[in-house]
């Protein structure tokens, strides 16, 4: 019985390739496929870069690390600050770089507000965590 399954596989592949509707040996098959799939070739910008979800995800990870380190020793929260600077620098470079007109056209004002808010939280998080746990 196992031999039948193995011997059926090449016949199935040959049947698909020899099908009159999908004959991949003829170049005429490619023309309708190119027409059908050409809409996907127009690349959007926001699906290639980190959108608001990624900005806030990294910001919350940075904030959580700062709070946990500050809970243990308050000065350790400031060790997260270089990572926060790196995230803020990347976000601001994204907003003011050569792709910025395309990003702002696609994302609009909500993307801009979300990006700036994530930068503010990211920059203020370690300092606020340090200040809150230092008083304890």
């Amino acid at each position: 019985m196992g031999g039948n399954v193995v011997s059926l596989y090449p016949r199935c592949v040959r049947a698909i390739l020899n099908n009159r509707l999908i004959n991949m040996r003829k170049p005429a098959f490619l023309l309708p496929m190119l027409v059908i799939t050409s809409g996907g070739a127009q690349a959007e910008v926001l699906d290639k870069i980190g959108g608001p979800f990624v900005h806030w995800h990294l910001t919350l990870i940075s904030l959580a690390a700062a709070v946990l380190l500050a809970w243990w020793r308050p000065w350790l929260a400031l060790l997260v600050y270089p990572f926060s600077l790196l995230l803020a620098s990347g976000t601001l470079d994204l907003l003011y770089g050569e792709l910025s007109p395309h990003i702002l056209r696609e994302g609009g004002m909500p993307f801009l507000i979300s990006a700036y808010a994530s930068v503010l939280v990211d920059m203020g998080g370690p300092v606020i965590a340090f200040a809150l746990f230092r008083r304890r």
Side-chain angles (χ1 to χ4, degrees):
M1 185 168 176
N4 292 338
V5 173
V6 173
S7 65
L8 286 177
Y9 177 71
R11 276 190 271 165
C12 293
V13 173
R14 268 186 264 130
I16 291 171
L17 290 177
N18 291 330
N19 190 348
R20 301 258 183 222
L21 296 175
I22 304 176
N23 192 349
M24 293 174 56
R25 294 182 203 154
K26 295 181 181 178
F29 170 75
L30 293 177
L31 184 61
M33 291 305 293
L34 287 175
V35 170
I36 291 171
T37 60
S38 66
Q42 297 176 352
E44 295 178 359
V45 180
L46 284 182
D47 60 347
K48 307 293 185 286
I49 61 170
F53 176 75
V54 175
H55 290 144
W56 283 105
H57 188 121
L58 292 173
T59 297
L60 292 178
I61 288 174
S62 171
L63 186 62
V67 167
L68 287 175
L69 287 172
W71 178 67
W72 190 43
R73 299 269 190 260
W75 62 271
L76 285 176
L78 299 178
L79 293 179
V80 179
Y81 210 73
F83 182 70
S84 297
L85 284 173
L86 183 68
L87 289 177
S89 170
T91 302
L92 293 177
D93 182 50
L94 190 66
L95 292 176
Y96 292 107
E98 59 188 38
L99 291 177
S100 65
H102 306 290
I103 292 169
L104 295 177
R105 184 182 64 233
E106 238 178 84
M109 192 57 76
F111 179 81
L112 188 67
I113 292 171
S114 175
Y116 277 122
S118 72
V119 166
L120 287 175
V121 170
D122 205 20
M123 296 302 293
V127 174
I128 292 172
F130 173 74
L132 285 177
F133 286 101
R134 187 172 179 211
R135 293 181 184 165
R136 196 170 49 121

